[in-house]
Amino acid sequence: MGSGSCTVILPVYKEAENIGKMVTCLRELYPDFKILVMDDNSKDGSKEIIESMKDPAVRFVERDPSEKGLSASILQGITETDTDYFVNMDCDFQHPPETVGLIYECLNSGADFCIGVRKERSALSPFRLLASWFAHFFAAMTLWLRNKPLSKDIMSGFFGGNTKLCRRIIKENRDRMDSKGFKALFDLLKYCPEDADVREVEFEFGK
């Protein structure tokens, strides 16, 4: 899978129940990858769980409490990544660890972005399903009007990218990006080059 050429970013908040299992699973599947846990000051023992692993490939970052937010965690994680590529994913296993390898292969073959697209969304509540549809529609219209690359699932939250390109996008546009919400991928696409190579892989969205 490459030699340390990919970092898995895990933005977390109060994920002590899942964090150890997820990190262990990722390390078994991808022993050459690094893992960057971006924690929004959970105070639930997550830090102690990661530190007890004593794994140099896993880094736990306690974020500034004044800058809380999922998007802020993801964007900071990208800026702190020191590998060629990154994959961002949730820690609750709704994003299957097995799909990380497919996203990496896509990036390693030349894609600027690779987006995990949910095959179906029955795991979402009716309210979340409706909210996700509206958010996607708004994001897709915005990207289309800006002549930017599109995706079938802009709000999936499971995506990877070329670190150098994404760092540059963040550096040039950080003040215009939303920190509080879950639109990190949308913001990256909104400010990416019009000819960016955006690809997709499908995955089964977990419960």
Side-chain angles (χ1 to χ4, degrees):
M1 278 293 182
S3 180
S5 57
C6 188
T7 296
V8 180
I9 300 172
L10 296 174
V12 299
Y13 181 63
K14 295 184 177 180
E15 288 283 359
E17 182 180 349
N18 297 313
I19 189 68
K21 291 180 285 187
M22 175 58 79
V23 169
T24 299
C25 181
L26 289 170
R27 293 293 289 135
E28 290 175 352
L29 288 170
Y30 314 107
D32 292 328
F33 287 9
K34 296 181 179 181
I35 298 175
L36 189 56
V37 181
M38 305 299 297
D39 183 82
D40 259 343
N41 291 267
S42 299
K43 309 303 182 187
D44 65 344
S46 292
K47 180 180 180 181
E48 289 73 18
I49 291 171
I50 297 301
E51 288 182 343
S52 69
M53 294 181 172
K54 302 185 186 309
D55 188 336
V58 182
R59 186 156 69 97
F60 188 93
V61 177
E62 287 184 283
R63 300 191 60 255
D64 185 337
S66 67
E67 297 179 354
K68 283 189 174 183
L70 177 57
S71 285
S73 292
I74 296 170
L75 297 174
Q76 182 184 344
I78 294 171
T79 62
E80 297 205 15
T81 295
D82 60 2
T83 53
D84 293 335
Y85 311 110
F86 70 87
V87 177
N88 179 81
M89 66 184 299
D90 291 346
C91 191
D92 58 6
F93 286 89
Q94 285 195 310
H95 297 157
E98 295 79 9
T99 306
V100 170
L102 299 178
I103 294 176
Y104 168 74
E105 289 173 6
C106 197
L107 296 168
N108 199 39
S109 68
D112 294 313
F113 293 91
C114 185
I115 301 169
V117 175
R118 291 167 282 193
K119 290 183 179 180
E120 52 83 29
R121 309 182 192 189
S122 59
L124 292 175
S125 67
F127 175 78
R128 285 187 64 197
L129 184 61
L130 186 63
S132 179
W133 185 88
F134 274 113
H136 174 82
F137 177 78
F138 169 78
M141 285 297 297
T142 301
L143 295 176
W144 179 75
L145 289 170
R146 289 171 172 257
N147 198 32
K148 299 295 185 177
L150 297 173
S151 167
K152 295 192 293 289
D153 198 355
I154 301 167
M155 298 297 160
S156 84
F158 191 14
F159 68 94
N162 178 293
T163 304
K164 185 177 180 180
L165 171 63
C166 291
R167 270 210 207 118
R168 188 176 79 237
I169 294 171
I170 295 168
K171 181 179 180 181
E172 294 174 354
N173 303 280
R174 186 65 186 88
D175 291 343
R176 294 182 284 176
M177 291 179 163
D178 181 11
S179 296
K180 298 300 181 184
F182 49 88
K183 299 185 294 185
L185 173 60
F186 171 52
D187 275 339
L188 289 169
L189 293 176
K190 186 163 61 175
Y191 299 114
C192 78
E194 293 180 5
D195 61 350
D197 185 348
V198 178
R199 306 179 198 175
E200 298 176 333
V201 298
E202 290 190 331
F203 71 95
E204 296 285 352
F205 191 51
K207 297 290 185 182

